Amino acid sequence: MQEGWDVTSLESTHGVRLSFHNWPSNRLEATRIIAPIGAIYTPLARLPNTSAPPTALPYEPIRCSSVTCNAVLNPYCQVDFRSKLWVCPFCTNRNHFPSHYADNINEQNLPAELIPQFTTCEYELPSIPDAGSPAFIFCVDTCCHAEELSELADSISQALNLLPEDCLVGLITYGTNVQVHELGFEGLQKNYVLRGNKEYIPSKVQELLGCGMRHVVGRNAGAPAHKGAPPAPPAPAAPGPGMPQGSHQAQIQNQAQQNAYAGPGQHILKRFLLPVSECSLALESILEDLRKDPWPVPSDRRAARCTGCALSVATSILDLACARRGARIMLFTGGPCTSGPGAIVSRNKQADMRSHADLAKNAEPMHQPACEYYAKLAHRQGMGQGNAAAIAAAEKSKKKNELPMFTTPPMHVVDVFACSLDQVGMLEMRELVEATGGLMVLGDSFGQSVFKESLMRIFKRHPDDMPNDGGKMSMAFGASMEICTSREAKVQGVIGPVTSLNKRGSNVSEIEIGEGGTNAWALGGI
C-alpha cells in the first residue's frame, strides 16, 4: 500500500467504502481473511461530476444478453471497436452494441457508460411513467396531554410549509376510535369514525368511507345513499330552450357512468388525500382545534390507544388510492397500543409492561401476536388495487401459515415518532418500519428539539443548483438493490434495513450473513 493513500477517498468519489482494497489471489488467502469482504453503499449519495454524469441518462441501459447475467454496460467491459462488440466482465459473454451505439462509438467518442471515471450512472427509464408527487398521511395520537398535542400540531403545521404544493396530504387521528378526516368537505370539519378494536382490510375501509362501487352506482340511479356516504355530485342543469331533451338525458347518463367507473381510489383522492395547495387551510384548522380524546379513563386503567387499528386504516387508504405511488405514513404516538390489534399491554394498570426478563422467558403473551400483526401490515402492500402477484403471494403464504414475501419493493413507508417517558412498543413495530424503509425517532416530549429537528430533516430538499433534481425533496420510494458478481464470487447477504426479494442465482452463497439467500433486496424508502 502506498504511503499516505487515503482509503476513504473512494467513498467520497463513488459512494462506496470497501472493507478490503486488495482481492485474495487464491483460495488459501481467501480462507485466511477473518472479516468477510464487504462494501458499504450509500444510495442517493451526491457524487462529484468527475465520478458520475451530471444528469441522469434519459434512455434504457444496455444489458448483457445472457439470461443468467443481465449485467449493465460499464467502464470495466472490454470493447472491440472494430467488430462493435463488448465483453461482459461478469460472465465473459460477447454482446453486440445496438445500432445507434455502433454507428458512433470509437476510442475518442465513448458513451457515458464507458467513460473510465464514471463508475456510477443514473438512468431515467422512459418505460416507467412518472408516478407524481408523494402522499403523506399523518396519524396523530389524541391520548396525549393537551400541551403535547399543541406542540405536535405546531410541528406538523411547520412541516406542511416545507412540502411542495402538489404533494398529497391526509390526516388520521386516533384514540379510543379512529377518525379519518375528509379534507375535501367544504364548510365545516367532517370525519368518519371507525371502531378501534378491529383490523380493517382495504375493501372494508372502502365500504365504510362510502367509496364502494355499489354506493356510487346506487346514488347515480336515484337510490338513497347510505348513512356514511358523501353527497351525490350535482346533476347537469336542465336543458335550455335550444337544447333537445334527448341530449340532456344522454348527458345525465354519461355523467352517471363516469361517476360509477371512477373507482374507490379516485373518490379517496378527491375527499381524503388532497394536494397541499387545496387543503392546507382546512388541515391547519383541524390541527388548531385538536383536542384530547374525550372518552373517560378510570384512574386504575390506561387510556384506550388503538395504534394498530389506525395503521391498518392508513395502509388501506394508500392501497386503494395510490398503490404504486410513493407515500409515507407518519405515526405520532405518545404511549403504547392498549386497544385492538397490535396491543402490547392491557389497559389494566395492575398489568406491568413487558420487561427483558419476560421476553427472555417467553412470558409475555401479547408480544408475539403484536409482532406478527405489524409484520403482516408491512407485507400486505399492493393488495388494495387487485395486484395479482401480491394477492397470489399472500394466499400462498396463508396456506403455509407464513408472512407473504415481497414480490416488488414497497412503495409506502411507515415512520414512527414516539415521544413518551414510558415504553411505546418500538420492538413490536420494528418489522413494519424496517421492511418499508422507514424511520424511528424516540424522545421524551413532542416539544424536544430531537423530535422537531428530526421531523424537519425528513423534508429536506436538494440544492437549487442541482441539475434535474434542484428543489425536490431528497427522498425516494420503491427502491431495490440487485448484486451481480463474477463466477468466482458469491453473495452471502446484506446487513441493513432491507427485505429479501427471494431471487436466487448462481452467485448466492449457502453461508448467510444478515439478510441472505438471495441476490436482490427491497429497500422501500430511501
Side-chain angles (χ1 to χ4, degrees):
M1 182 182 294
Q2 295 179 1
E3 185 178 355
W5 180 41
D6 185 9
V7 296
T8 62
S9 61
L10 186 67
E11 184 176 12
S12 60
T13 55
H14 302 286
V16 178
R17 180 188 295 182
L18 301 175
S19 59
F20 291 95
H21 289 267
N22 289 329
W23 193 266
S25 58
N26 52 53
R27 290 182 179 271
L28 181 60
E29 290 185 0
T31 58
R32 291 175 177 174
I33 297 179
I34 300 176
I37 296 178
I40 299 177
Y41 180 69
T42 306
L44 297 183
R46 189 179 182 185
L47 303 178
N49 293 337
T50 57
S51 301
T55 59
L57 307 180
Y59 50 81
E60 298 280 348
I62 307 300
R63 294 186 176 272
C64 178
S65 59
S66 176
V67 179
T68 59
C69 180
N70 205 29
V72 176
L73 181 66
N74 58 81
Y76 301 103
C77 297
Q78 298 179 11
V79 179
D80 188 344
F81 293 101
R82 291 186 177 180
S83 56
K84 309 298 182 182
L85 295 173
W86 62 278
V87 180
C88 177
F90 298 103
C91 64
T92 67
N93 185 51
R94 297 173 65 87
N95 304 274
H96 289 276
F97 281 107
S99 57
H100 60 282
Y101 270 68
D103 295 340
N104 302 300
I105 191 172
N106 55 55
E107 290 86 344
Q108 288 75 33
N109 187 22
L110 295 175
E113 301 95 317
L114 292 177
I115 296 178
Q117 63 267 28
F118 286 175
T119 55
T120 298
C121 283
E122 182 179 353
Y123 293 88
E124 284 188 3
L125 305 181
S127 58
I128 300 179
D130 185 11
S133 297
F136 296 86
I137 293 185
F138 299 100
C139 293
V140 178
D141 177 12
T142 57
C143 294
C144 305
H145 295 290
E147 297 82 4
E148 291 289 295
L149 280 177
S150 177
E151 292 283 356
L152 177 57
D154 181 64
S155 298
I156 296 177
S157 298
Q158 295 180 27
L160 289 176
N161 296 327
L162 301 178
L163 290 174
E165 293 186 351
D166 56 347
C167 285
L168 302 180
V169 177
L171 177 64
I172 293 176
T173 56
Y174 68 94
T176 305
N177 298 313
V178 177
Q179 295 85 32
V180 183
H181 295 264
E182 185 173 344
L183 303 179
F185 192 82
E186 299 180 356
L188 52 88
Q189 298 179 12
K190 179 182 178 182
N191 59 64
Y192 288 74
V193 181
L194 282 67
R195 294 180 61 179
N197 59 356
K198 58 187 298 187
E199 178 185 0
Y200 293 94
I201 59 176
S203 58
K204 189 63 177 179
V205 173
Q206 168 185 330
E207 179 184 353
L208 294 176
L209 297 183
C211 299
M213 296 290 291
R214 61 191 180 98
H215 300 136
V216 180
V217 174
R219 285 183 286 130
N220 289 331
H226 73 94
K227 190 173 181 180
M243 182 178 179
Q245 185 71 22
S247 62
H248 178 65
Q249 296 293 338
Q251 185 179 357
I252 295 177
Q253 185 177 3
N254 191 20
Q255 181 176 351
Q257 292 177 353
Q258 291 179 359
N259 292 331
Y261 291 105
Q266 292 300 320
H267 287 276
I268 290 177
L269 291 175
K270 292 179 181 178
R271 298 165 53 201
F272 302 100
L273 283 175
L274 274 71
V276 176
S277 58
E278 299 180 13
C279 68
S280 58
L281 295 178
L283 193 54
E284 289 181 0
S285 175
I286 296 174
L287 293 175
E288 289 177 0
D289 296 338
L290 208 57
R291 296 293 182 268
K292 188 178 179 180
D293 187 27
W295 288 82
V297 181
S299 58
D300 60 339
R301 297 180 69 83
R302 297 182 176 92
R305 182 181 284 106
C306 56
T307 308
C309 178
L311 286 172
S312 72
V313 173
T315 55
S316 297
I317 289 176
L318 291 179
D319 278 348
L320 290 168
C322 42
R324 300 310 302 164
R325 183 174 186 168
R328 301 190 84 98
I329 298 173
M330 309 188 76
L331 176 71
F332 304 92
T333 182
C337 178
T338 59
S339 174
I344 66 168
V345 67
S346 171
R347 290 193 62 192
N348 191 350
K349 286 187 177 180
Q350 294 181 355
D352 296 330
M353 290 278 291
R354 79 278 189 277
S355 62
H356 292 287
D358 295 332
L359 296 175
K361 298 176 182 178
N362 292 327
E364 177 50 55
M366 304 182 73
H367 170 70
Q368 190 61 31
C371 291
E372 294 176 356
Y373 172 75
Y374 290 115
K376 184 176 67 174
L377 283 183
H379 290 80
R380 83 176 193 183
Q381 287 193 26
M383 290 185 284
Q385 290 281 24
N387 188 324
I391 294 175
E395 292 297 330
K396 184 178 179 181
S397 302
K398 189 176 181 180
K399 294 179 181 179
K400 297 181 180 181
N401 197 22
E402 298 175 350
L403 288 174
M405 297 297 180
F406 280 126
T407 55
T408 56
M411 298 292 292
H412 304 154
V413 179
V414 179
D415 301 321
V416 177
F417 296 87
C419 291
S420 172
L421 297 176
D422 199 357
Q423 299 185 61
V424 296
M426 287 289 206
L427 177 61
E428 286 78 4
M429 290 186 283
R430 173 183 173 181
E431 175 71 16
L432 174 61
V433 177
E434 284 190 351
T436 59
L439 304 171
M440 274 188 170
V441 177
L442 184 61
D444 296 336
S445 169
F446 287 114
Q448 274 189 331
S449 59
V450 173
F451 163 72
K452 292 179 176 291
E453 293 177 5
S454 300
L455 179 62
M456 299 305 151
R457 187 171 296 184
I458 293 180
F459 305 102
K460 182 180 178 182
R461 301 195 188 191
H462 291 293
D464 294 334
D465 58 348
M466 189 173 182
N468 294 345
D469 295 330
K472 297 181 180 179
M473 288 188 296
S474 57
M475 64 175 66
F477 303 89
S480 62
M481 178 174 62
E482 183 176 355
I483 297 180
C484 297
T485 64
S486 57
R487 299 172 182 175
E488 297 78 14
K490 291 185 180 295
V491 180
Q492 293 181 329
V494 169
I495 298 176
V498 298
T499 305
S500 172
L501 288 177
N502 299 289
K503 183 178 180 181
R504 299 192 63 88
S506 58
N507 65 338
V508 177
S509 173
E510 297 179 357
I511 303 174
E512 295 186 12
I513 296 180
E515 191 77 25
T518 181
N519 58 11
W521 298 265
L523 280 68
I526 55 176

